[in-house]
Amino acid sequence: MNNSGGGGGGGGIAYWMAEHPAIIGFRWSHAQSWGSTWPFLVSFLASYALFAVALHLLLRLLRLKPLPLGPLPALHSLAMALASAAIFLGLLLSSAAEIRDTRWYWRGRARTTPLQWLLCFPLGTRPSGRVFFWSYAFYLSRFLHLLRTFINILRRRRCALAAVFRHSAFVCMSFLWLEFSQSFQVVAILSATLAQTIVFGYRFWVGVGLPAASRSGALLVLACQVALTGSNLVCHLGFLLLHFAKGGCNGIGAWVFNSVLNAALLFLFVDFYVKEEVRRKTGEILEDDTGSDQHHHSGTHRLHHSKRPSFEAKNNNKFLRKSGTGKTKFVFYRHKFAPLYNY
């Protein structure tokens, strides 16, 4: 029986996520793949940045308070969590299928191990097949992720504009992965989608008012970001070693450009965290995502709530009231790790 049929006649999850003809026959094409051209990428990101800045300035000129968005943030988190989980599972199954189907080639000529292939594509690799199908799905999910920017702006988040650069960089990086068949992208997508599944799943959990621990939730988000950064650094080092040891990896130029973008994102995160620590110690007003203000003076927190709390605020209060000072802790940790919550 042919293994490529997987899932007993095409009915199993392995078939639909790794063996379907549309997945196996995928090819990144400027003529057929939506969003696959350079003019589209440049014009779309320019329009996105201009619209985001214009909306931010308009809200500042009108001096509007954070707008109630109802269940929209929670629904967006749910959509991102489901999309990330699907891409993670699909790419994991597809990578296993690629390793299974091409192992004969590695043993006979290339002498490449599965780990080496995950980090370093052979020179001449074309953007087609299972892995690049899910890479394209990840690229499309970046456009869904962009909606988070406008949600943050409408809620008057302090670091909302910083997300414009961060989210644009993610779109650009995922485009380059496909355009240049860049090595290292399998590990990068797997780690990113796993972290996003956890982070956005938690955001949805909190957004609909289900019980959650304020401090442990913030630390969970932080742990995901730290683990993602640490694993990427280790894999980058492994990629460089393989590049020089094996005579070259595919897409090294795109890798260099993406590494510069990653370094810039890391710098922005560290810079923001340091500045927020200074603000916290000097007692500036902190604002949570429900539109409430928090004053921090010598370790004491005072909350001032808007007259009409949002859908998310009402749901959060259901479980935060039970812990007495839980609301204060939740706001404090949400603000302290603001760049992570705007992930």
Side-chain angles (χ1 to χ4, degrees), residues 11-58:
I13 188 171
Y15 172 81
W16 291 106
M17 306 199 81
E19 305 292 351
H20 193 277
I23 297 176
I24 297 176
F26 171 80
R27 182 173 178 269
W28 171 257
S29 169
H30 290 177
Q32 299 178 356
S33 304
W34 182 86
S36 61
T37 63
W38 286 97
F40 171 86
L41 179 70
V42 174
S43 59
F44 183 91
L45 291 182
S47 302
Y48 157 71
L50 288 174
F51 185 69
V53 172
L55 180 61
H56 176 75
L57 293 177
L58 177 63

Side-chain angles (χ1 to χ4, degrees), residues 9-239:
I13 188 171
Y15 172 81
W16 291 106
M17 306 199 81
E19 305 292 351
H20 193 277
I23 297 176
I24 297 176
F26 171 80
R27 182 173 178 269
W28 171 257
S29 169
H30 290 177
Q32 299 178 356
S33 304
W34 182 86
S36 61
T37 63
W38 286 97
F40 171 86
L41 179 70
V42 174
S43 59
F44 183 91
L45 291 182
S47 302
Y48 157 71
L50 288 174
F51 185 69
V53 172
L55 180 61
H56 176 75
L57 293 177
L58 177 63
L59 294 179
R60 289 196 64 179
L61 289 175
L62 297 177
R63 296 182 178 180
L64 296 177
K65 295 181 179 180
L67 301 178
L69 300 179
L72 179 60
L75 291 176
H76 180 265
S77 296
L78 177 61
M80 283 299 304
L82 293 176
S84 298
I87 294 171
F88 174 82
L89 181 59
L91 183 57
L92 189 65
L93 293 174
S94 295
S95 298
E98 288 291 334
I99 292 171
R100 179 199 66 210
D101 293 346
T102 57
R103 186 171 295 174
W104 61 270
Y105 174 79
W106 295 345
R107 290 176 178 175
R109 296 176 57 186
R111 295 182 181 178
T112 300
T113 66
L115 178 60
Q116 289 174 342
W117 175 78
L118 289 173
L119 295 177
C120 177
F121 287 158
L123 294 175
T125 299
R126 296 181 180 275
S128 61
R130 301 180 180 96
V131 167
F132 289 97
F133 173 87
W134 290 108
S135 180
Y136 181 58
F138 182 79
Y139 170 62
L140 295 180
S141 73
R142 297 306 86 199
F143 294 96
L144 176 62
H145 195 198
L146 294 181
L147 293 177
R148 200 79 202 177
T149 302
F150 301 104
I151 291 175
N152 293 335
I153 292 175
L154 293 174
R155 293 159 117 183
R156 306 302 304 276
R157 291 283 184 82
R158 180 175 294 176
C159 55
L161 282 185
V164 174
F165 172 75
R166 184 168 61 252
H167 294 168
S168 297
F170 288 151
V171 174
C172 209
M173 284 189 287
S174 56
F175 176 87
L176 293 177
W177 288 345
L178 288 159
E179 184 69 10
F180 296 100
S181 303
Q182 184 192 316
S183 301
F184 182 73
Q185 63 176 281
V186 174
V187 176
I189 294 174
L190 286 175
S191 57
T193 50
L194 178 60
Q196 288 176 357
T197 300
I198 297 173
V199 170
F200 283 106
Y202 174 79
R203 291 172 66 89
F204 171 74
W205 185 276
V206 172
V208 297
L210 297 174
S214 58
R215 178 171 182 176
S216 62
L219 293 179
L220 173 65
V221 177
L222 178 62
C224 289
Q225 183 71 14
V226 171
L228 178 61
T229 303
S231 64
N232 281 339
L233 288 176
V234 172
C235 291
H236 274 295
L237 293 176
F239 166 79

